[in-house]
C-alpha cells in the first residue's frame, strides 16, 4: 500500500499502528535476518545487503543528486528514489516540501497472496498490508536513524490530498503481478533474456503493438523466493499476447497479457501497461468501426496493417530502432 509524504516543520507523528510490534521485529529470510523496517535491504541483482540513506529535501544540485543516486542501484537516498515532486524545480513557496512516494521493498507484503482466496481473506491481508505501510511510516517518524546521528523524522507528514484518500494511503493495493490470460502468444524468457538473445535483441513480432524495456525483475514472493533480477533486451508487445486463445470478445488490457511469471517481471512496468491499454482500446474501437474480430485483425495481414497504421498515426512506436541494446 503506497503513500506520499512531505517533510515540514512540526511533529506529524501518526498514532502507533495496531500491528507495529509485529512489523517492527519482522525479519524475512530475503533480508538475511535484518528487519524489514530499516534502511537495509538486499541489492536485487546481487542479493547482498546494502544500507540506504534517507535525507528529506536534499535540494536539486545535479552533481549531489547524481552522486547519491549512483549508489545502491539507484536508490541510495530513498527520498530521491521515487520522488514525485522536487520543490526546487518550482517557484519558491509553491511546494513547502518535495513529495516522496513510498513504494519501496520495505513495504512489500508477502505473508500471503490475495489471488484465488476467499474475499474475507483477501480483505484481511490487504488490511495487514496497510498496517505494514503505516508501521513503516511510524518507524520513520520515531525510530529511523538520521544522518546527524539522531533518530526519527517527526516532520514527515502524509498527503491524503495527493493520494485522494481519507487516510493518506493509496486508494487500492499495488499488485506487482496479476492473473494472466492463456494467450494466442505467450512471451517467454527465451524471447527477452539478454543471456539468451544477446545483441540480437528480443524477438521481433509482425503483430507488434508497442515497445518496452525493463530488467526481468521479480521481488520476494509469498512462497519464500528471493529476488530474481537479470538483464533483458528492449522488447516488443505482440498483439497475440492481448488475445485469449478461446474467448473472442475479451481483450487483456494491462499486466494480464500473455506473459509468464518470469517475463511478467519486465512486462509489468507502468509504461508497458499503458501501452497495452492504449493498444486494447484502439483495437476495440477499430473492430467496432470495421466489423472485424480481434483475432482476425491479428491473423490477417491486411487487417493487421490497417490497425497498426492507426496506432502509428497516434504516436505508438511498434519497433525499437536498430542498434538499441540493453543496459
Amino acid at each position: 500500500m503506497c503513500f506520499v509524504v512531505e517533510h515540514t516543520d512540526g511533529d506529524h507523528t501518526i498514532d502507533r499502528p495496531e500491528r507495529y510490534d509485529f512489523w517492527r521485529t519482522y525479519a524475512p529470510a530475503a533480508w538475511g535476518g535484518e528487519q524489514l523496517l530499516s534502511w537495509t535491504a538486499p541489492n536485487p541483482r546481487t542479493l547482498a545487503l546494502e544500507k540506504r540513506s534517507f535525507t528529506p529535501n536534499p535540494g536539486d544540485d545535479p552533481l549531489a543528486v547524481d552522486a547519491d543516486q549512483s549508489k545502491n542501484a539507484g536508490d541510495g537516498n530513498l527520498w530521491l528514489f521515487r520522488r514525485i515532486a522536487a520543490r526546487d524545480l518550482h517557484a519558491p513557496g509553491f511546494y513547502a516540501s518535495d513529495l516522496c512516494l513510498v513504494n519501496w521493498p520495505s513495504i512489500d507484503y508477502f505473508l500471503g497472496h490475495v489471488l484465488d482466496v476467499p474475499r474475507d481473506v483477501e480483505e484481511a491481508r490487504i488490511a495487514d498490508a496497510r498496517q505494514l505501510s503505516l508501521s513503516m511510516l511510524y518507524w520513520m517518524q520515531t525510530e529511523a536513524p538520521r544522518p546527524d546521528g539522531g533518530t526519527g523524522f517527526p516532520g514527515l507528514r502524509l498527503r491524503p490530498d495527493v493520494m485522494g484518500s481519507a487516510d493518506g494511503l493509496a486508494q487500492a493495493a499495488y499488485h506487482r503481478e496479476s492473473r494472466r490470460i492463456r494467450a494466442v502468444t505467450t512471451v517467454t524468457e527465451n524471447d527477452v533474456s539478454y543471456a539468451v538473445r544477446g545483441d540480437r535483441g528480443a524477438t521481433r513480432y509482425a503483430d507488434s503493438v508497442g515497445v518496452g524495456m525493463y530488467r526481468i525483475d521479480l521481488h520476494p514472493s509469498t512462497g519464500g523466493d528471493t529476488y530474481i533480477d537479470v538483464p533483458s533486451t528492449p522488447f516488443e508487445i505482440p498483439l497475440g499476447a492481448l488475445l485469449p486463445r478461446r474467448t473472442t470478445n475479451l481483450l487483456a488490457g494491462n499486466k494480464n497479457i500473455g506473459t509468464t511469471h518470469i517475463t511478467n517481471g519486465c512486462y509489468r512496468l507502468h509504461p508497458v501497461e499503458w501501452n497495452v491499454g492504449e493498444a486494447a482500446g484502439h483495437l476495440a474501437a477499430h473492430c467496432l468501426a470495421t466489423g472485424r474480430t480481434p483475432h482476425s485483425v491479428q491473423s490477417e495481414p491486411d487487417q493487421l496493417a490497417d490497425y497498426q497504421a492507426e496506432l502509428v498515426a497516434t504516436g505508438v512506436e511498434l519497433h525499437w530502432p536498430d542498434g538499441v541494446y540493453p543496459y
Side-chain angles (χ1 to χ4, degrees):
M1 297 296 302
C2 304
F3 57 93
V4 168
V5 290
E6 62 181 2
H7 188 267
T8 59
D9 294 337
D11 186 343
H12 307 292
T13 303
I14 63 172
D15 293 338
R16 184 186 180 94
E18 293 179 8
R19 290 266 285 166
Y20 185 69
D21 289 343
F22 171 82
W23 287 116
R24 178 64 186 87
T25 58
Y26 179 63
W31 261 244
E34 292 287 335
Q35 293 171 342
L36 186 64
L37 303 191
S38 69
W39 299 141
T40 300
N43 181 308
R45 303 181 188 181
T46 68
L47 302 184
L49 292 177
E50 295 179 346
K51 187 174 182 179
R52 277 69 176 172
S53 64
F54 186 74
T55 305
N57 298 317
D60 252 7
D61 177 349
L63 295 178
V65 170
D66 288 348
D68 206 4
Q69 286 291 74
S70 68
K71 298 180 292 185
N72 299 320
D75 57 356
N77 179 1
L78 286 168
W79 183 268
L80 300 176
F81 180 40
R82 289 200 167 100
R83 181 174 58 174
I84 59 174
R87 64 179 181 179
D88 287 359
L89 300 183
H90 298 267
F94 187 81
Y95 281 108
S97 166
D98 295 348
L99 297 181
C100 173
L101 173 66
V102 178
N103 177 10
W104 307 336
S106 52
I107 62 168
D108 278 4
Y109 185 86
F110 35 77
L111 294 189
H113 63 83
V114 295
L115 297 180
D116 300 324
V117 295
R119 186 60 182 269
D120 60 334
V121 175
E122 174 189 358
E123 291 176 345
R125 288 175 176 171
I126 289 177
D128 204 23
R130 299 174 75 87
Q131 281 290 305
L132 169 57
S133 294
L134 291 171
S135 294
M136 182 66 189
L137 173 60
Y138 186 78
W139 177 82
M140 290 193 294
Q141 291 174 322
T142 61
E143 296 189 58
R146 296 197 309 259
D148 63 6
T151 56
F153 296 84
L156 291 175
R157 178 165 61 180
L158 287 168
R159 287 293 303 266
D161 56 321
V162 175
M163 301 306 286
S165 65
D167 63 2
L169 300 184
Q171 298 178 42
Y174 167 38
H175 299 290
R176 186 165 285 106
E177 187 170 357
S178 73
R179 294 179 178 89
R180 297 182 294 274
I181 63 169
R182 294 184 182 273
V184 170
T185 304
T186 298
V187 181
T188 71
E189 184 176 358
N190 288 334
D191 294 315
V192 296
S193 169
Y194 184 67
V196 176
R197 301 293 302 180
D199 289 349
R200 293 176 297 159
T203 298
R204 299 290 293 266
Y205 298 102
D207 64 343
S208 175
V209 295
V211 297
M213 176 57 202
Y214 199 68
R215 292 172 65 87
I216 296 173
D217 167 25
L218 281 68
H219 284 222
S221 73
T222 57
D225 296 322
T226 188
Y227 283 98
I228 298 173
D229 191 305
V230 296
S232 65
T233 60
F235 54 80
E236 298 175 356
I237 306 167
L239 176 57
L242 280 63
L243 306 180
R245 297 177 191 172
R246 178 180 58 83
T247 307
T248 59
N249 63 344
L250 176 70
L251 299 175
N254 50 69
K255 64 180 74 175
N256 53 10
I257 64 173
T259 59
T260 65
H261 172 61
I262 301 297
T263 55
N264 174 74
C266 59
Y267 273 74
R268 67 178 172 80
L269 271 292
H270 302 87
V272 180
E273 278 200 277
W274 299 330
N275 193 149
V276 169
E278 285 187 283
H282 278 290
L283 180 58
H286 177 84
C287 289
L288 288 172
T290 62
R292 297 166 174 170
T293 66
H295 288 73
S296 70
V297 172
Q298 192 263 345
S299 62
E300 297 293 332
D302 290 345
Q303 294 185 31
L304 178 63
D306 290 343
Y307 164 61
Q308 287 176 319
E310 291 182 16
L311 293 179
V312 172
T314 61
V316 176
E317 297 179 82
L318 304 185
H319 306 287
W320 284 97
D322 289 338
V324 175
Y325 299 121
Y327 61 92

